[in-house]
Amino acid sequence: MNYCLYCSPQAMEKWIHEKEAYILPDYKLAQLPPELLTFNVLYKILGQKQIYTLEDARRLQKKQYTIQQYRNQMDLTQGYSPEQMLAILKDRCRYLIERGSTLNNPHIPASYFQGWEQITENHAQRLRELVAEALDDKA
């Protein structure tokens, strides 16, 4: 390793806000379709039932819920009401759309770090000092 940089949350704030502004329209758009889902959509996917089973819920959510979350979602002793299953369907839709509306591994241009201290020696010690300075500045 030639050098490393310390990026405090304060130092990264501008870049983070830029990325937030970049994805915000997509994120807001992703919130709309789940609310448009109706019982008719649920029935097309899982059929019309009085009680939906744990297996039905797993068909929708796959492995997004833990077994405890699946059980916590049950509003009937034998499973899920149509209303609850519709809520699970909306949750799945929201998850799928949000997954596509986020920004994974955004590139930070090297120019962003111009003028930052390059830590070339005593990496751990200097990093501790910089973190302590950032904490003092925050306080």
PDB file of all heavy atoms in Angstrom, residues 88-99:
ATOM      1  N   ILE A  88     -48.299  -7.795   2.047  1.00  0.00           N
ATOM      2  CA  ILE A  88     -47.045  -8.513   1.769  1.00  0.00           C
ATOM      3  C   ILE A  88     -46.674  -8.353   0.300  1.00  0.00           C
ATOM      4  O   ILE A  88     -45.509  -8.148  -0.044  1.00  0.00           O
ATOM      5  CB  ILE A  88     -47.171  -9.992   2.181  1.00  0.00           C
ATOM      6  CG1 ILE A  88     -47.260 -10.089   3.706  1.00  0.00           C
ATOM      7  CG2 ILE A  88     -46.006 -10.816   1.642  1.00  0.00           C
ATOM      8  CD1 ILE A  88     -47.617 -11.474   4.233  1.00  0.00           C
ATOM      9  N   LEU A  89     -47.672  -8.437  -0.580  1.00  0.00           N
ATOM     10  CA  LEU A  89     -47.435  -8.236  -2.010  1.00  0.00           C
ATOM     11  C   LEU A  89     -46.889  -6.833  -2.264  1.00  0.00           C
ATOM     12  O   LEU A  89     -45.935  -6.648  -3.019  1.00  0.00           O
ATOM     13  CB  LEU A  89     -48.720  -8.475  -2.797  1.00  0.00           C
ATOM     14  CG  LEU A  89     -48.647  -8.229  -4.306  1.00  0.00           C
ATOM     15  CD1 LEU A  89     -47.678  -9.204  -4.972  1.00  0.00           C
ATOM     16  CD2 LEU A  89     -50.034  -8.336  -4.921  1.00  0.00           C
ATOM     17  N   LYS A  90     -47.460  -5.835  -1.624  1.00  0.00           N
ATOM     18  CA  LYS A  90     -46.983  -4.455  -1.782  1.00  0.00           C
ATOM     19  C   LYS A  90     -45.547  -4.314  -1.273  1.00  0.00           C
ATOM     20  O   LYS A  90     -44.730  -3.623  -1.881  1.00  0.00           O
ATOM     21  CB  LYS A  90     -47.915  -3.488  -1.049  1.00  0.00           C
ATOM     22  CG  LYS A  90     -49.261  -3.320  -1.723  1.00  0.00           C
ATOM     23  CD  LYS A  90     -50.155  -2.368  -0.945  1.00  0.00           C
ATOM     24  CE  LYS A  90     -51.493  -2.202  -1.637  1.00  0.00           C
ATOM     25  NZ  LYS A  90     -52.351  -1.197  -0.981  1.00  0.00           N
ATOM     26  N   ASP A  91     -45.257  -4.974  -0.180  1.00  0.00           N
ATOM     27  CA  ASP A  91     -43.904  -4.934   0.377  1.00  0.00           C
ATOM     28  C   ASP A  91     -42.912  -5.546  -0.608  1.00  0.00           C
ATOM     29  O   ASP A  91     -41.823  -5.016  -0.824  1.00  0.00           O
ATOM     30  CB  ASP A  91     -43.883  -5.670   1.718  1.00  0.00           C
ATOM     31  CG  ASP A  91     -42.598  -5.469   2.482  1.00  0.00           C
ATOM     32  OD1 ASP A  91     -42.010  -4.368   2.408  1.00  0.00           O
ATOM     33  OD2 ASP A  91     -42.176  -6.415   3.180  1.00  0.00           O
ATOM     34  N   ARG A  92     -43.293  -6.656  -1.235  1.00  0.00           N
ATOM     35  CA  ARG A  92     -42.418  -7.296  -2.219  1.00  0.00           C
ATOM     36  C   ARG A  92     -42.212  -6.388  -3.428  1.00  0.00           C
ATOM     37  O   ARG A  92     -41.098  -6.235  -3.926  1.00  0.00           O
ATOM     38  CB  ARG A  92     -43.004  -8.638  -2.647  1.00  0.00           C
ATOM     39  CG  ARG A  92     -42.188  -9.362  -3.696  1.00  0.00           C
ATOM     40  CD  ARG A  92     -40.850  -9.791  -3.149  1.00  0.00           C
ATOM     41  NE  ARG A  92     -40.108 -10.551  -4.160  1.00  0.00           N
ATOM     42  CZ  ARG A  92     -38.893 -10.983  -3.995  1.00  0.00           C
ATOM     43  NH1 ARG A  92     -38.255 -10.762  -2.859  1.00  0.00           N
ATOM     44  NH2 ARG A  92     -38.286 -11.656  -4.943  1.00  0.00           N
ATOM     45  N   CYS A  93     -43.277  -5.794  -3.898  1.00  0.00           N
ATOM     46  CA  CYS A  93     -43.190  -4.887  -5.044  1.00  0.00           C
ATOM     47  C   CYS A  93     -42.251  -3.723  -4.723  1.00  0.00           C
ATOM     48  O   CYS A  93     -41.382  -3.366  -5.522  1.00  0.00           O
ATOM     49  CB  CYS A  93     -44.586  -4.385  -5.420  1.00  0.00           C
ATOM     50  SG  CYS A  93     -44.617  -3.277  -6.844  1.00  0.00           S
ATOM     51  N   ARG A  94     -42.417  -3.151  -3.556  1.00  0.00           N
ATOM     52  CA  ARG A  94     -41.568  -2.028  -3.124  1.00  0.00           C
ATOM     53  C   ARG A  94     -40.097  -2.463  -3.093  1.00  0.00           C
ATOM     54  O   ARG A  94     -39.217  -1.766  -3.595  1.00  0.00           O
ATOM     55  CB  ARG A  94     -42.016  -1.534  -1.761  1.00  0.00           C
ATOM     56  CG  ARG A  94     -41.367  -0.256  -1.312  1.00  0.00           C
ATOM     57  CD  ARG A  94     -41.993   0.283  -0.026  1.00  0.00           C
ATOM     58  NE  ARG A  94     -43.375   0.716  -0.251  1.00  0.00           N
ATOM     59  CZ  ARG A  94     -44.462   0.057   0.168  1.00  0.00           C
ATOM     60  NH1 ARG A  94     -44.353  -1.044   0.867  1.00  0.00           N
ATOM     61  NH2 ARG A  94     -45.658   0.506  -0.106  1.00  0.00           N
ATOM     62  N   TYR A  95     -39.850  -3.645  -2.540  1.00  0.00           N
ATOM     63  CA  TYR A  95     -38.477  -4.154  -2.477  1.00  0.00           C
ATOM     64  C   TYR A  95     -37.879  -4.296  -3.877  1.00  0.00           C
ATOM     65  O   TYR A  95     -36.747  -3.860  -4.135  1.00  0.00           O
ATOM     66  CB  TYR A  95     -38.450  -5.508  -1.750  1.00  0.00           C
ATOM     67  CG  TYR A  95     -37.174  -6.268  -1.982  1.00  0.00           C
ATOM     68  CD1 TYR A  95     -36.005  -5.921  -1.301  1.00  0.00           C
ATOM     69  CD2 TYR A  95     -37.120  -7.309  -2.903  1.00  0.00           C
ATOM     70  CE1 TYR A  95     -34.820  -6.605  -1.532  1.00  0.00           C
ATOM     71  CE2 TYR A  95     -35.943  -7.995  -3.133  1.00  0.00           C
ATOM     72  CZ  TYR A  95     -34.797  -7.639  -2.450  1.00  0.00           C
ATOM     73  OH  TYR A  95     -33.634  -8.309  -2.688  1.00  0.00           O
ATOM     74  N   LEU A  96     -38.627  -4.904  -4.790  1.00  0.00           N
ATOM     75  CA  LEU A  96     -38.106  -5.129  -6.131  1.00  0.00           C
ATOM     76  C   LEU A  96     -37.816  -3.823  -6.856  1.00  0.00           C
ATOM     77  O   LEU A  96     -36.794  -3.691  -7.535  1.00  0.00           O
ATOM     78  CB  LEU A  96     -39.109  -5.963  -6.949  1.00  0.00           C
ATOM     79  CG  LEU A  96     -39.264  -7.417  -6.509  1.00  0.00           C
ATOM     80  CD1 LEU A  96     -40.416  -8.068  -7.250  1.00  0.00           C
ATOM     81  CD2 LEU A  96     -37.972  -8.181  -6.712  1.00  0.00           C
ATOM     82  N   ILE A  97     -38.692  -2.864  -6.702  1.00  0.00           N
ATOM     83  CA  ILE A  97     -38.493  -1.591  -7.392  1.00  0.00           C
ATOM     84  C   ILE A  97     -37.366  -0.791  -6.736  1.00  0.00           C
ATOM     85  O   ILE A  97     -36.523  -0.217  -7.429  1.00  0.00           O
ATOM     86  CB  ILE A  97     -39.809  -0.783  -7.429  1.00  0.00           C
ATOM     87  CG1 ILE A  97     -40.825  -1.523  -8.302  1.00  0.00           C
ATOM     88  CG2 ILE A  97     -39.560   0.617  -7.965  1.00  0.00           C
ATOM     89  CD1 ILE A  97     -42.210  -0.953  -8.259  1.00  0.00           C
ATOM     90  N   GLU A  98     -37.314  -0.782  -5.424  1.00  0.00           N
ATOM     91  CA  GLU A  98     -36.255  -0.035  -4.749  1.00  0.00           C
ATOM     92  C   GLU A  98     -34.889  -0.627  -5.054  1.00  0.00           C
ATOM     93  O   GLU A  98     -33.903   0.099  -5.121  1.00  0.00           O
ATOM     94  CB  GLU A  98     -36.502  -0.003  -3.241  1.00  0.00           C
ATOM     95  CG  GLU A  98     -37.603   0.943  -2.853  1.00  0.00           C
ATOM     96  CD  GLU A  98     -37.891   0.950  -1.361  1.00  0.00           C
ATOM     97  OE1 GLU A  98     -37.228   0.195  -0.608  1.00  0.00           O
ATOM     98  OE2 GLU A  98     -38.770   1.712  -0.959  1.00  0.00           O
ATOM     99  N   ARG A  99     -34.822  -1.917  -5.219  1.00  0.00           N
ATOM    100  CA  ARG A  99     -33.557  -2.569  -5.550  1.00  0.00           C
ATOM    101  C   ARG A  99     -32.994  -1.991  -6.837  1.00  0.00           C
ATOM    102  O   ARG A  99     -31.788  -1.828  -6.983  1.00  0.00           O
ATOM    103  CB  ARG A  99     -33.778  -4.070  -5.669  1.00  0.00           C
ATOM    104  CG  ARG A  99     -32.510  -4.864  -5.829  1.00  0.00           C
ATOM    105  CD  ARG A  99     -32.790  -6.332  -5.721  1.00  0.00           C
ATOM    106  NE  ARG A  99     -33.506  -6.796  -6.907  1.00  0.00           N
ATOM    107  CZ  ARG A  99     -33.916  -8.024  -7.086  1.00  0.00           C
ATOM    108  NH1 ARG A  99     -33.734  -8.929  -6.150  1.00  0.00           N
ATOM    109  NH2 ARG A  99     -34.527  -8.379  -8.182  1.00  0.00           N
TER     110      ARG A  99
END
